[in-house]
Amino acid sequence: MDADSFCVEDGTWTEWGSLAAPLRREVFVHEQRVPESLEWDGLDPECHHVIALDAQGRAIATARLTPDDHLGRMAVARRWRHRGVGRAVMVRAERVARRRGSRVLVLAAQLSALPFYEKLGYSAYGDVFEDAGIPHRMMCRDLAE
């Protein structure tokens, strides 16, 4: 694998939490100023996690699927943004969701990320709301499409 290569894996928090947690802390707590108490909601052990790793095995992107088909905690390391890593994580998350029988995925998107999710087939609905002081909108995607 060259320096710009990455791979995408999925599994449990036990398997990937030690790599995903520092990335989420970097992106959400440090960059976006989300309070630690909001980032660590206690749901990680019951979720399925998707993680992208660089050639050295470091986490460069992550997301989680809750048992009720919500996708969240999507984070991409700053230097890896706009390089297809986020898209690859989403494709893997959707594959995992389909495999477990999910028909629709729902997510709360930061307004700045709406175009990213729209390109992946997600549709916004409802009013803008704040989560951790950041404006969001709900989005969903029919996985049968």
Side-chain angles (χ1 to χ4, degrees):
M1 228 183 335
D2 64 41
D4 287 334
S5 296
F6 65 91
C7 66
V8 181
E9 303 288 344
D10 67 87
T12 67
W13 187 245
T14 300
E15 293 171 295
W16 298 112
S18 65
L19 292 174
L23 175 61
R24 283 174 38 190
R25 184 171 282 110
E26 173 190 327
V27 171
F28 296 123
V29 177
H30 297 297
E31 280 183 38
Q32 298 181 359
R33 308 268 189 250
V34 172
E36 290 263 356
S37 61
L38 295 179
E39 177 56 28
W40 310 113
D41 58 7
L43 295 178
D44 288 312
E46 34 183 288
C47 295
H48 195 93
H49 297 267
V50 178
I51 190 163
L53 306 167
D54 68 10
Q56 289 74 44
R58 295 176 297 222
I60 58 172
T62 189
R64 74 178 188 187
L65 285 166
T66 66
D68 62 351
D69 298 328
H70 282 74
L71 186 112
R73 301 308 199 264
M74 173 67 177
V76 179
R78 185 184 302 264
R79 87 170 205 85
W80 283 90
R81 293 176 192 158
H82 309 289
R83 295 170 66 181
V85 180
R87 183 185 199 316
V89 166
M90 291 296 293
V91 167
R92 181 65 160 261
E94 290 169 4
R95 185 179 310 140
V96 168
R98 282 186 191 97
R99 188 173 66 220
R100 69 184 195 183
S102 304
R103 297 184 200 277
V104 175
L105 275 182
V106 176
L107 58 88
Q110 294 180 8
L111 292 188
S112 61
L114 283 176
F116 167 75
Y117 292 114
E118 286 170 341
K119 286 178 190 169
L120 295 172
Y122 288 79
S123 299
Y125 65 91
D127 295 329
V128 174
F129 64 94
E130 279 199 15
D131 185 9
I134 302 168
H136 286 69
R137 273 193 81 194
M138 294 303 298
M139 299 188 87
C140 66
R141 177 160 191 246
D142 183 342
L143 295 177
E145 296 176 349

